[in-house]
Amino acid sequence: MAVDLVGGGTFRVAFQMLFDAVIAVKKETTMFKSMLGDIKSTLDSLQPVIKEREKYDSKEGLENFAMQMEEGVKLVYKCSKVGVWNWCRKYRYTRKLDELDKCLQRLVEVLKVQGIRDVKETLVSLRNIETVLHRIEGNLVMQNQPEKINGWSSVPEPPPVTVGLDVPLKELKIKLLKDDVSMLVLTAAGGCGKTTLAKKFCQDQEVKDKFKNNIFFVTLSKKPNLDLIVHELYQRKGSQVPAFENEVIAVYWLQLFLKETSQNPVLYVLDDVWSGSESLLEKFDEFKMTNYKVLVTSRFAFPRFGSPYHLESLNDEDAMALFHHSASLEDKSSYAREDLSTKIVELCKGFPLAVTAVGRSLRGQPIEIWRKRVMEWSKGSSILASNNDLLACLKSSIDALDKEKPTLKECFLDLCSFPKDQRISAATLIDMWAELYGLDEPSLSIANLYQLTTQSLANLAVTRNEREADGYYTEHFVTQHDMLRELAIHQASQDPIGQRKRLIIDIRGDNLPNWLTEAKHQPMQARLLSISTDGAFSKKWPNMQLPKAEVLVLNFETNSYNLPEFVKKMDKLKVLIVTNFSFLPAELNNFQLLGSSSNLKRIRLERISIPSISKNIKQLESVQKISLFMCSIGQAFGKGSINILDALPNLGEMDIDCCHELVELPVGVCDLFRLKKLSITNCHNLSALPEKIGKLLSLEVLRLRSCTDLLELPSSIRNLKKLNFLDISYCFSIKQLPEHIGEICSLKKLNMRQCSRLQDLPASVLDLEQLKDVICDEETELLWEPFLPFLKNTHIKVVKEDNNLNWLHKLRS
């Protein structure tokens, strides 16, 4: 490594970087203040020696010291991030800081003992030093010479016509111009207008008055080159910098630039930032000053940098205005074109790039072409297929997932298995992905959904914010813009039909696709099959061969639905998802066909009449989990029906959610002796549980959340010796707990928020020796105060109520 004692060289720059880092971190941290003080003292003694040695060109032995200084800079900044209670890191970094100080002390001795070897060489060195210093002084011309600053002139202009950005612009100014905000991420899917809004932000008069010419607009894209970025910033203010030998030097010059420009109000716009650029954003985010602002535009939300601003789609009025401009309809409008324009804008769903691309493609075309396009798109053809720019823009987001996160890409593509404009229950995806990708823990699937949300590929919404995650996600739902759904369908259909991993069939009326009738005797290789039909569908399904299908998703809108006959030949079927999107629960016929599915593990039914299947069900020996959402249970598994234990002998988990007609739990459920998890939530008319519930000796989890009419818990609950989690939150009608609840000897966690009628606790709670966590509200906390001195290992966690009533929408959906 070359060592140059002055200028932009490694040794001198490394020393200055270390000196600055020690001073900065010493002010912030208390944990390493003493060690950093020692290092600063050593650096203070080293500085005059270095200045003395700058008279000579002696480089002997300094390469290693320069590298150790660079490593020291990294070490010092790492120390600033060590938590107070992280004793392990504190010990390790203390030892490393001591080693760094000793290294610097050795350097002092080395420089002191080196003599002057050649006066002539010294004079030459002095002349070289003088030249380099002049160059550096010229490079450090900053804000005090405005004639050399051209940051503002480098800000690109927004398009001449923009729509729907006035409100976002106001909201963006409010968020970013706050005193306590230094960086804001503006996020949305590709093609939603993020860059256009950023350009308008820079052109806003209030912004220009505040930052004047001190505005820098830099486009980063997928693989930002730090050297080029730093050189570009200096060039935009009329300065030059030397070539950087490594990234550490480039970082130093960047920090120097940021520090100098921030003396006056400054705005940096980092445009089109992709995942993987977090370390660069951290460098820009180090400065926390009132007049220092960074606006980031990205498809990725980067939540570590604070709450992002999400740019929404256009409303109908703005979308129509944009379409008129793109199609040049200002002077050529007619009633026929206006009618077609309305349909086109509706199909584009307010997606700016889609509106623009379609408008441009139809500009100047005869009205017959307009009609043809609208007819094709209305019948299910994709807008993406005829717009390469739109496709390329959207596709780049999922291409980025190919190598780094292939499973996440597969999860994104699976979202097209459900009808457009419908919310997808996260619980449904959990069941699918557990079998398709081995995501056995529900939290892993939820983590993937959060990642898709931060990358603007989906939107995960929580109808009730439960701060205590317990692996039950009935309150989580996923939505997706229609353009992103079309993207997923387009990508899923690139392979020949017989070779596709997922087969998505969307049928309107009785119009079966031609390939389906032609290929009825040919085996398909799909692992996932999704079939969606509307209320007009009445045909009988053709025979299909799906020897590798593991997940079957059936979406329909009729009062009665027949399982396809080919189901009995789906030997590898593991997950069945049946969703009725009509208002009332539907009759589900042919359920007995599943009797031959020896690998079926999970069944999820939504808005289904359970009595219609309980009379015809055959033994499903392999099924381990069944979920019922907004189903009509009624007298299911009563007289004339198969015993539920005979039908589901190995059932380990049962979820019943929002089944409003459920008044009493079928007593047959208590025979499921292998049941480990029973969740009955949001069933507001449930008033009683069977006394025989104590027979569920394998039960580990019992959730009764939001069963608002439930009056009491059966006394037999005392027999549930393996129960470790009991959730009775929002059970407003429970007035007392069973007297012998203390006999639930394995109970570790109890959630009893908003049990507002509960007056006291039985004395037997003192016997709950394994109880670690009790989740309460402020009122129920008081009930535990007399017992806490005797429950040494029990922690009471008081959760303040979130007044968000979005969960009520779930009950109506």
Side-chain angles (χ1 to χ4, degrees):
M1 179 184 293
V3 177
D4 192 356
L5 289 181
V6 289
T10 303
F11 182 75
R12 181 63 174 169
V13 172
F15 171 83
Q16 190 62 47
M17 288 170 60
L18 180 58
F19 191 84
D20 292 345
V22 169
I23 292 177
V25 175
K26 184 173 179 288
K27 292 179 180 178
E28 297 178 2
T29 183
T30 57
M31 189 180 300
F32 301 100
K33 189 175 291 289
S34 176
M35 290 295 301
L36 292 172
D38 293 341
I39 293 175
K40 183 181 181 301
S41 298
T42 305
L43 291 172
D44 287 339
S45 61
L46 180 59
Q47 193 164 17
V49 182
I50 291 178
K51 288 183 179 180
E52 181 67 23
R53 295 302 299 149
E54 285 176 354
K55 300 176 183 178
Y56 311 104
D57 196 20
S58 176
K59 304 175 182 179
E60 181 181 353
L62 297 182
E63 294 92 338
N64 184 52
F65 287 114
M67 286 189 292
Q68 292 191 26
M69 284 184 182
E70 292 172 3
E71 291 300 318
V73 174
K74 298 178 183 178
L75 171 63
V76 170
Y77 280 119
K78 284 181 180 179
C79 290
S80 68
K81 299 178 181 180
V82 176
V84 176
W85 302 107
N86 198 329
W87 300 107
C88 181
R89 282 193 175 185
K90 179 183 179 182
Y91 172 76
R92 185 165 71 250
Y93 285 158
T94 298
R95 188 161 47 83
K96 288 186 177 182
L97 288 173
D98 184 58
E99 293 173 358
L100 174 63
D101 191 31
K102 291 178 180 178
C103 171
L104 295 173
Q105 291 174 10
R106 287 196 300 273
L107 177 58
V108 174
E109 297 302 319
V110 168
L111 293 179
K112 282 183 178 179
V113 300
Q114 284 184 346
I116 302 175
R117 296 179 177 178
D118 194 321
V119 175
K120 183 178 180 180
E121 290 180 3
T122 301
L123 293 174
V124 172
S125 297
L126 285 173
R127 285 195 293 271
N128 291 338
I129 291 171
E130 183 178 7
T131 301
V132 174
L133 286 174
H134 280 304
R135 187 186 74 220
I136 292 177
E137 289 173 0
N139 287 343
L140 295 181
V141 177
M142 292 294 174
Q143 181 67 28
N144 58 351
Q145 296 188 22
E147 67 275 11
K148 289 192 176 183
I149 296 177
N150 62 352
W152 166 249
S153 63
S154 300
V155 177
E157 294 283 336
V161 176
T162 60
V163 298
L165 296 180
D166 291 342
V167 172
L169 178 59
K170 291 179 182 178
E171 294 175 345
L172 203 61
K173 288 195 296 183
I174 291 173
K175 290 199 72 170
L176 183 56
L177 299 184
K178 287 180 179 178
D179 290 343
D180 59 343
V181 174
S182 60
M183 176 179 285
L184 178 64
V185 178
L186 167 61
T187 185
C192 283
K194 303 181 295 296
T195 298
T196 300
L197 178 56
K199 293 174 182 177
K200 282 184 68 69
F201 183 83
C202 294
Q203 294 284 355
D204 180 80
Q205 192 59 50
E206 181 183 353
V207 174
K208 289 195 291 186
D209 290 344
K210 179 177 179 64
F211 299 105
K212 297 182 171 54
N213 288 338
N214 221 10
I215 299 177
F216 299 87
F217 195 107
V218 182
T219 301
L220 300 187
S221 297
K222 290 186 179 180
K223 296 182 179 180
N225 185 311
L226 183 59
D227 286 12
L228 293 178
I229 292 171
V230 177
H231 278 90
E232 182 179 353
L233 286 172
Y234 275 95
Q235 287 171 6
R236 289 188 181 183
K237 66 178 184 60
S239 302
Q240 298 294 324
V241 289
F244 305 131
E245 296 177 3
N246 53 49
E247 185 174 324
V248 175
I249 306 300
V251 170
Y252 173 73
W253 282 95
L254 174 62
Q255 292 174 333
L256 184 64
F257 182 91
L258 298 178
K259 182 177 180 180
E260 292 293 336
T261 54
S262 63
Q263 300 303 313
N264 294 305
V266 61
L267 169 65
Y268 294 97
V269 179
L270 305 181
D271 183 44
D272 195 22
V273 181
W274 285 69
S275 178
S277 301
E278 289 86 347
S279 60
L280 180 60
L281 295 183
E282 285 177 350
K283 295 175 179 62
F284 277 89
D285 195 41
E286 287 177 358
F287 294 86
K288 303 290 186 182
M289 291 174 285
T290 302
N291 293 322
Y292 174 88
K293 305 293 180 181
V294 181
L295 176 62
V296 178
T297 74
S298 178
R299 305 178 187 199
F300 309 85
F302 299 117
R304 75 168 74 170
F305 298 103
S307 177
Y309 179 84
H310 293 275
L311 181 59
E312 302 295 336
S313 301
L314 298 175
N315 60 36
D316 291 344
E317 181 181 352
D318 291 330
M320 183 62 77
L322 180 60
F323 180 76
H324 274 213
H325 172 73
S326 303
S328 297
L329 286 182
E330 289 84 351
D331 302 322
K332 302 177 183 178
S333 181
S334 67
Y335 175 78
R337 289 189 190 271
E338 278 301 301
D339 183 54
L340 292 171
S341 298
T342 301
K343 294 179 180 178
I344 291 170
V345 168
E346 182 180 342
L347 289 167
C348 291
K349 296 293 183 181
F351 203 86
L353 185 58
V355 174
T356 302
V358 172
R360 288 174 179 170
S361 71
L362 293 174
R363 182 187 299 170
Q365 296 288 344
I367 195 169
E368 289 78 11
I369 297 295
W370 284 53
R371 289 195 180 107
K372 179 184 177 183
R373 296 277 180 86
V374 170
M375 187 179 300
E376 290 172 346
W377 293 333
S378 298
K379 289 183 177 180
S381 295
S382 174
I383 291 178
L384 298 178
S386 56
N387 289 277
N388 292 332
D389 291 344
L390 176 59
L391 175 60
C393 176
L394 294 177
K395 186 173 176 293
S396 60
S397 293
I398 60 173
D399 286 345
L401 302 177
D402 268 332
K403 294 182 179 179
E404 296 181 4
K405 302 171 182 176
T407 300
L408 192 60
K409 178 180 178 181
E410 297 299 320
C411 291
F412 166 75
L413 296 177
D414 287 342
L415 297 182
C416 70
S417 305
F418 303 89
K420 66 178 182 180
D421 300 326
Q422 296 289 348
R423 296 189 307 172
I424 307 168
S425 170
T428 300
L429 300 171
I430 287 171
D431 285 338
M432 290 171 52
W433 295 343
E435 301 301 331
L436 286 174
Y437 312 121
L439 303 180
D440 295 327
E441 286 294 324
S443 60
L444 297 177
S445 293
I446 297 298
N448 279 355
L449 290 173
Y450 274 117
Q451 283 188 284
L452 290 174
T453 298
T454 59
Q455 298 188 26
S456 300
L457 292 172
N459 181 36
L460 179 63
V462 183
T463 54
R464 174 185 280 165
N465 188 16
E466 291 292 335
R467 296 176 178 84
E468 290 298 318
D470 57 18
Y472 191 62
Y473 296 99
T474 58
E475 315 290 348
H476 292 63
F477 293 87
V478 182
T479 57
Q480 189 178 46
H481 195 282
D482 283 355
M483 281 297 135
L484 294 173
R485 182 178 181 273
E486 283 200 28
L487 173 65
I489 292 175
H490 181 274
Q491 291 303 107
S493 61
Q494 292 306 293
D495 295 325
I497 291 173
Q499 303 300 318
R500 295 175 186 172
K501 288 193 287 186
R502 53 184 63 76
L503 197 56
I504 311 299
I505 305 175
D506 192 354
I507 299 173
R508 303 182 185 190
D510 284 331
N511 301 313
L512 298 178
N514 292 333
W515 65 262
L516 182 57
T517 55
E518 294 169 358
K520 60 183 178 181
H521 298 301
Q522 298 178 10
M524 308 286 183
Q525 303 303 309
R527 294 183 67 195
L528 184 155
L529 171 63
S530 170
I531 302 174
S532 299
T533 56
D534 59 17
F537 180 75
S538 61
K539 274 195 174 182
K540 183 178 180 181
W541 277 102
N543 184 32
M544 295 178 66
Q545 296 185 46
L546 297 147
K548 295 186 178 180
E550 298 175 50
V551 176
L552 175 60
V553 180
L554 300 173
N555 308 301
F556 62 92
E557 299 178 24
T558 53
N559 294 329
S560 180
Y561 188 84
N562 296 327
L563 286 183
E565 291 282 343
F566 59 76
V567 169
K568 62 185 178 183
K569 296 182 180 180
M570 297 175 67
D571 297 333
K572 291 192 176 181
L573 183 63
K574 296 180 180 179
V575 182
L576 173 65
I577 310 291
V578 182
T579 305
N580 166 29
F581 286 99
S582 63
F583 186 71
L584 298 174
E587 300 268 333
L588 185 60
N589 306 312
N590 289 348
F591 208 75
Q592 69 276 7
L593 296 176
L594 297 173
S596 58
S597 302
S598 58
N599 291 302
L600 185 60
K601 296 180 181 179
R602 298 167 183 257
I603 298 175
R604 180 176 176 85
L605 307 176
E606 296 193 18
R607 292 188 182 88
I608 301 297
S609 173
I610 303 305
S612 69
I613 67 174
S614 64
K615 295 179 180 179
N616 301 311
I617 191 172
K618 289 189 176 182
Q619 188 176 74
L620 301 175
E621 189 172 352
S622 59
V623 173
Q624 299 172 7
K625 178 182 178 182
I626 188 166
S627 302
L628 308 176
F629 178 73
M630 297 190 76
C631 290
S632 173
I633 296 179
Q635 299 300 315
F637 300 103
K639 291 183 180 180
S641 302
I642 187 174
N643 184 282
I644 191 171
L645 178 61
D646 294 335
L648 303 165
N650 293 303
L651 194 68
E653 184 172 355
M654 175 179 277
D655 297 341
I656 303 174
D657 187 38
C658 293
C659 295
H660 306 310
E661 295 182 7
L662 181 65
V663 177
E664 293 185 4
L665 186 69
V667 69
V669 172
C670 302
D671 295 327
L672 298 170
F673 62 91
R674 287 191 172 90
L675 199 65
K676 292 184 177 181
K677 296 181 180 180
L678 175 59
S679 299
I680 308 172
T681 54
N682 298 300
C683 296
H684 300 295
N685 291 317
L686 178 70
S687 59
L689 296 176
E691 183 62 35
K692 291 184 179 181
I693 201 169
K695 293 170 61 179
L696 297 174
L697 300 181
S698 299
L699 201 65
E700 298 174 2
V701 174
L702 177 59
R703 293 187 186 90
L704 302 168
R705 181 191 306 166
S706 296
C707 293
T708 54
D709 281 359
L710 184 64
L711 298 174
E712 61 181 1
L713 300 178
S715 60
S716 65
I717 199 173
R718 64 199 290 187
N719 298 326
L720 304 180
K721 305 301 183 184
K722 292 185 178 181
L723 191 70
N724 59 62
F725 177 42
L726 175 62
D727 184 354
I728 56 172
S729 57
Y730 302 97
C731 290
F732 302 129
S733 300
I734 293 180
K735 296 181 179 179
Q736 60 183 14
L737 297 181
E739 181 180 354
H740 300 288
I741 194 172
E743 294 183 26
I744 308 178
C745 54
S746 297
L747 191 64
K748 295 181 180 178
K749 186 174 181 179
L750 173 62
N751 190 341
M752 52 186 299
R753 293 166 58 189
Q754 293 300 306
C755 291
S756 52
R757 293 192 182 180
L758 199 61
Q759 299 299 317
D760 52 32
L761 299 177
S764 66
V765 296
L766 292 173
D767 298 326
L768 296 172
E769 297 179 356
Q770 299 296 318
L771 187 61
K772 293 183 179 179
D773 295 305
V774 177
I775 303 163
C776 298
D777 53 65
E778 293 177 347
E779 291 184 10
T780 50
E781 178 195 19
L782 299 176
L783 303 179
W784 286 90
E785 286 188 354
F787 302 96
L788 289 181
F790 308 98
L791 296 171
K792 300 296 184 181
N793 297 321
T794 301
H795 175 64
I796 305 295
K797 186 174 293 185
V798 179
V799 180
K800 291 186 178 180
E801 287 309 302
D802 186 352
N803 293 322
N804 183 358
L805 297 180
N806 289 339
W807 63 279
L808 291 173
H809 174 67
K810 173 188 174 184
L811 304 181
R812 301 187 185 102
S813 61

